[in-house]
Amino acid sequence: MTARIPTTALAGVVLLSYAYAQPTSPLRFEAAQPALFASAGAFVNAFADYDRDGDPDLFVGFNATGGAANRLYRNDRGTFADVAATAGLAQARPTRAAAWGDYDGDGDPDLAIGFTPGAGSVLALYRNTAARFADVTATAQLGVEAGAVRQLAWIDVDADGDLDLFVAFRDRPNGLFRNDRGTFVDIAAAIGVADARKSVGAVWFDADEDGDLDLYVGNMDGDANGFYRNDRGTFTDVAEAVGLAWGHRAARDPGNGTVRPCAADVDGDGRLDLIMANYGKNGVFLNRGGLQFEDVSEAWGIAIDARYDTCALADVDHDGRLDLYVNGTVTGGTSYRDYLFRNTGTAFEDVTPENLRALNADHGAAWADVDGDGDVDLALTGSATDGMHLVLLNQLPVAEAKRSLAVRTLDARGHSTLAGAELRVYAAGTRRLLATRLVDSGSGYNAQNDIAVPIGVPHPANVDVRLTYPAAGTRRTASRNNITPSGRTIELRLR
């Protein structure tokens, strides 16, 4: 393993050694409202504050034919209630994907859904108006009559100020639907991202820090992954050239594939690394700059040969490092176990609590502070007949839970449309980097969406926060300084 780079990993940033906080107690999670979240057959979960009351609400999609209708759980200070029927989102059609995004720029999150093939379009768009949803698929020209939808992600690919929609398909070329004042046209083939392989997950981030968003695509059934470098709006697949074609799984093995890739700074050097949840061995590739990635999967301890659907990263224990949840799937009659890995700085160690280890979970995993206590809680879905969809509350001690902040990134109009933005946290008044986070536009069946980005802080000292947003070949910035981490949410707006 190459030694960690100690200085000048980012322009103007000095990466001095920092004494990270050491966890003081074992991680514990307790189920919230277990009777409400008991139904099996759930596949999709996605958080957003759809009613703009300051806490994250939860959409859950079900995949069983003729089974439960989709649900929208309104969150009122940590207590959930299903309001899908009154809100207009109780679709009783098998659902495979969902992502929140403010496509119309009115300040509240709208919802895109991917259904299994059947009567009507496999894509649907629901416009949010005063916390009620209307199906605008036809008027938005997003109707797609056939296709195995696997992921949706909102991203402003052309940097014109509105959100475009990326769609990963498992059985047809991927789509990139450009938003032209509320109507959409597929430009994937024209710009070079119409990957015809069996795509499942993808993540957008500025991998080469040149001011535009690049795309990493996870493919299944022995197909290589794609890594599309963005050169001012034209994309080139460089996955093979930079060693990212297989994500540490076996090459060309039809039983192997990458389900969900995630981009996150796991080694604390300020660059966004790649993590892959695979059918086959999981992968960790550290970003060494200049589109050079180092495979450290074995050294970091997550190269377990099994079947995984989800990588979901968050600083669960507020020691300053991003921890990792990988969600084992149920396939071929086997339920592969889930893992919660604590990040030590040089490896991931298994710290899975027994009650999580026992779950028959599958596909959906997402982190959000649902009860407003300052730490991140875990939402899971389970599609097996004895599965569930759960919200599990993180039981960090109060003092540790409050050693955090959450950052909502906004554009100049005050709207949350900055998917792909980067947040960096420094010790106040210095360039000592404490944390780097990505505003994830959706990188799996469950989506990172319109909620504020949670950031654990290793010590209860004040911090400075810097926002970097790549768009149109520039990296625009904004900052707020001398913030006390106390579990509160702040806003950071581009000017």
Side-chain angles (χ1 to χ4, degrees), residues 251-334:
R252 290 172 287 277
D253 183 338
N256 278 194
T258 297
V259 182
R260 181 178 184 181
C262 295
D265 179 16
V266 299
D267 60 349
D269 69 354
R271 300 189 185 103
L272 295 170
D273 311 301
L274 279 167
I275 303 93
M276 295 84 166
N278 290 333
Y279 277 26
K281 292 183 177 182
N282 292 327
V284 179
F285 289 74
L286 298 183
N287 185 346
R288 298 308 190 190
L291 283 185
Q292 300 299 309
F293 288 81
E294 180 187 0
D295 186 350
V296 297
S297 309
E298 301 289 342
W300 275 65
I302 70 162
I304 303 164
D305 194 356
R307 298 290 183 269
Y308 299 99
D309 285 315
T310 291
C311 49
L313 292 108
D315 185 359
V316 180
D317 50 12
H318 291 178
D319 67 350
R321 303 184 182 102
L322 282 171
D323 309 299
L324 171 66
Y325 195 87
V326 291
N327 195 351
T329 190
V330 180
T331 185
T334 300

Side-chain angles (χ1 to χ4, degrees), residues 387-406:
M388 44 67 231
H389 60 290
L390 291 179
V391 174
L392 295 148
L393 301 179
N394 189 348
Q395 301 298 302
L396 274 187
V398 173
E400 295 178 24
K402 291 298 183 184
R403 201 176 62 230
S404 65
L405 71 156

Side-chain angles (χ1 to χ4, degrees), residues 7 14 16 23 29 32 38 66 97 109 118 122 134 149 224-225 245 272 296 304 313 342 370 458-459 472:
T7 59
V14 179
L16 301 175
F29 293 84
V122 296
V149 180
N225 298 338
L272 295 170
V296 297
I304 303 164
L313 292 108
R342 174 178 277 147
V370 303
H459 291 283

Side-chain angles (χ1 to χ4, degrees), residues 15 71 134 159 161 238 241 255 296 312 392 477:
L15 298 179
R71 300 181 184 179
V238 297
V296 297
L392 295 148
T477 62

Side-chain angles (χ1 to χ4, degrees), residues 210-226:
D210 67 347
D212 49 32
L213 293 171
D214 310 293
L215 171 64
Y216 189 82
V217 178
N219 293 318
M220 290 292 288
D221 299 347
D223 284 346
N225 298 338

